[in-house]
Each structure stands twice: as C-alpha cells, then as structure tokens.
C-alpha cells in the first residue's frame, strides 16, 4: 500500500512513520509513505498557500492552485490514487471504511490548515472523511489516524493475523474486557470463566461481555446487530 500525504507540515509524520508497527511495516515493504508539501507548488514570490476568504470573515483559506498542483504532480509522478480530503465536514471514519480503504493500492490524504480549503479542491478528490465531531488545527493528525488504522489491516503488518479479527467494531461489537497477570491486582480478581481453561465457556463469556458493553456503551451499534439464538440466550442469562 502506498500512502501519499499532501501536507504543509511533512515533518509531523516522522513519529508515525518511523516508530512501532508502522515503522516495521515500512521496513518490511508492506507500506510506503510519501509526503508532498503544496507550498513547493506555489508560484508567487512569497510561496503563499492561503488567502483571505471571499465574503469576509475570520482566518485564511487554503488556495486551490498549490493544492491541486500538488495532487496532480503526485499522480503524474507515481500513478493514480484514491484521493481523500480531510475535513470535519466529511463522512465519519468508521472501521468498515478502514477495511474498504485497506483494499486499495494507493491512498492520497489531502490535509487542510487554517480555516480549511477552497471548496473547489473537493472536485479533485474522491471522498471526504472526518475523524470525529471536533475540529483539529490541521488535517495531519487525521491523516496519521487513517495511515495507522489502515496500515494495521494490511497483510503482514500485524504480527498475529488474528489479533485484529476480534477487535472492537470488526463485527459491529465492542471488544470484551481483557486481563493479564496477576490474577489478583489490588484486591480485584480476574473473572472466573477466564481462569477455567474451558474454551467454550471462555468464548461464551467474551461474547456476552461484548454484547453487554455494546448495548450499554453504544446502543446505536447494538441496535444494528443481528443477534443469534446463542446471543439471545446469553443475554437472557441462560447458559447455551
Ligand atoms: C481548523 S480546521 C478547519 C475547520 C473548518 N473551518 C470547519 O469549521 O469545518 C483546518 C483543517 O484541519 C483538518 N481537520 C480539522 N478537524 C478535522 C476532523 N475532525 N477530521 C478531519 N480533518 C480535520 C481539515 O483538513 C481542515 O481543513
């Protein structure tokens, strides 16, 4: 997978691209991150990338010319990409979206700054994504979130291929609680089912905890689930 990031602050990406699982994935060749600064495509003598908004108002708006020139230069140099404009007004990023993006060969993440981008840049992108209902200073952190979430779903990136399968959101559920040693910590023990060594019981306990957590914390996700007979029995407090 190739990630192309169009950003005024390429230096921000060093921490994400060099450390941990993403750093190792790059070393293994599972992914590559290219950074392109739209300021290099500004043609005026001050290399400006922003201007005042038409109609007045606070702040500055990113000009379309350097951004679109950067997008086009990246594609001319390395081939077409699925282009994502990062904006709080975009569709919310979800795990199904992450899985969809992980199937694509080349993603371009276009980061805004200031009050955002000239609206006409949208026409040069394939979709708009938001990482949540809050406003960041720039699109860089949003791009890093997408690189991280997508990269860990690429083949060969996670050490244990199964480790992503049971995670939160994978099957529309939140993950069950996890415990490790010690068995007793500051007076709090580990649920007996997990110590039982009975795989069927452990699986059912985890499933029930996932269902309960999702029902209590994310009722809107729970409402979308199709419950199995076993799920209904677990929720009713019966041992299936
Ligand atoms: C200060 S924000 C602009 C916010 C814009 N004036 C608004 O109210 O929608 C500057 C840039 O940060 C990025 N950004 C901020 N919040 C974001 C979010 N929740 N998801 C994705 N990108 C975000 C976008 O690239 C945006 O162009």
């Amino acid at each position: 997978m190739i990630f192309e990031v169009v950003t005024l602050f390429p230096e921000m990406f060093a921490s994400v691209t060099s450390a941990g699982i993403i750093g190792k994935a790059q070393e293994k060749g599972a992914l590559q991150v290219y950074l392109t600064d739209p300021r290099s495509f500004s043609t005026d003598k001050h290399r400006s990338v922003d201007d005042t908004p038409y109609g007045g108002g606070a702040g500055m708006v990113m000009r379309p010319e350097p951004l679109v020139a950067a997008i086009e230069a990246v594609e001319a140099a390395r081939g077409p990409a699925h282009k994502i404009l990062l904006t709080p007004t975009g569709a919310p990023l979800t795990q199904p979206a992450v899985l969809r993006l992980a199937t694509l060969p080349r993603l371009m993440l276009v980061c805004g700054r200031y009050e955002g981008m000239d609206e006409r840049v949208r026409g040069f992108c394939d979709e708009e994504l938001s990482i949540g209902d809050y406003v960041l200073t720039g699109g860089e952190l949003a791009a890093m979130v997408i690189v991280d979430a997508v990269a860990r779903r690429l083949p060969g990136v996670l050490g244990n291929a199964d480790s992503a399968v049971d995670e939160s959101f994978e099957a529309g559920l939140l993950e069950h609680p996890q415990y490790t040693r010690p068995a007793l910590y500051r007076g709090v023990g580990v649920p007996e089912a997990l110590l039982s060594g009975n795989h069927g019981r452990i699986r059912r306990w985890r499933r029930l905890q996932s269902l309960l957590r999702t029902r209590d914390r994310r009722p809107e996700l729970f409402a979308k689930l199709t419950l199995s007979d076993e799920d209904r029995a677990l929720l009713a407090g019966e041992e299936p």
Side-chain angles (χ1 to χ4, degrees):
M1 159 80 78
I2 307 284
F3 292 98
E4 300 277 4
V5 188
V6 174
T7 168
L8 287 171
F9 294 93
E11 65 277 12
M12 283 181 71
F13 287 80
S15 56
V16 168
T17 54
S18 61
I21 286 175
I22 309 298
K24 289 207 185 82
Q26 277 204 110
E27 281 166 25
K28 283 195 278 184
L31 65 93
Q32 221 172 334
V33 182
Y34 291 99
L35 303 163
T36 303
D37 187 344
R39 197 175 293 281
S40 326
F41 296 88
S42 177
T43 49
D44 67 284
K45 70 174 184 216
H46 300 296
R47 301 224 136 195
S48 73
V49 288
D50 58 333
D51 207 335
T52 52
Y54 275 120
M60 302 294 273
V61 174
M62 285 184 83
R63 293 170 40 219
E65 303 98 312
L67 272 172
V68 173
I71 292 169
E72 289 178 343
V74 165
E75 290 200 310
R78 287 185 287 275
H82 182 76
K83 297 174 282 299
I84 300 171
L85 192 147
L86 297 162
T87 165
T89 62
L93 181 70
T94 59
Q95 192 67 4
V98 166
L99 297 181
R100 171 175 58 82
L101 297 177
T103 65
L104 302 173
R106 194 182 292 267
L107 293 182
M108 192 187 305
L109 303 165
V110 183
C111 306
R113 279 269 154 179
Y114 315 115
E115 285 307 312
M117 302 167 202
D118 184 291
E119 185 71 5
R120 290 164 290 187
V121 178
R122 289 178 60 195
F124 295 84
C125 293
D126 300 302
E127 69 177 306
E128 298 172 43
L129 287 177
S130 162
I131 63 158
D133 289 349
Y134 41 80
V135 178
L136 302 164
T137 317
E140 287 73 17
L141 289 172
M144 290 182 214
V145 165
I146 293 178
V147 169
D148 189 280
V150 170
R152 64 197 300 286
R153 298 317 313 265
L154 299 176
V157 168
L158 290 184
N160 176 355
D162 285 341
S163 57
V165 172
D166 287 338
E167 282 182 326
S168 297
F169 310 115
E170 284 293 318
L173 282 167
L174 301 184
E175 194 186 54
H176 53 77
Q178 300 271 22
Y179 293 86
T180 185
R181 276 184 279 273
L184 187 65
Y185 176 68
R186 298 204 178 191
V188 182
V190 174
E192 207 263 316
L194 296 180
L195 305 171
S196 68
N198 177 332
H199 295 302
R201 197 171 156 210
I202 293 169
R203 184 190 62 73
R204 289 192 295 278
W205 182 87
R206 287 182 166 159
R207 180 76 189 172
L208 176 60
Q209 296 306 316
S210 274
L211 289 165
L212 292 173
R213 270 205 165 165
T214 310
R215 187 184 70 186
D216 296 346
R217 299 181 184 187
R218 298 294 300 273
E220 82 287 4
L221 291 180
F222 189 79
K224 288 191 205 146
L225 289 174
T226 308
L227 297 178
S228 66
D229 290 345
E230 183 186 63
D231 291 338
R232 274 188 285 275
L234 286 168
L235 286 165
E238 299 159 25
E239 189 59 17

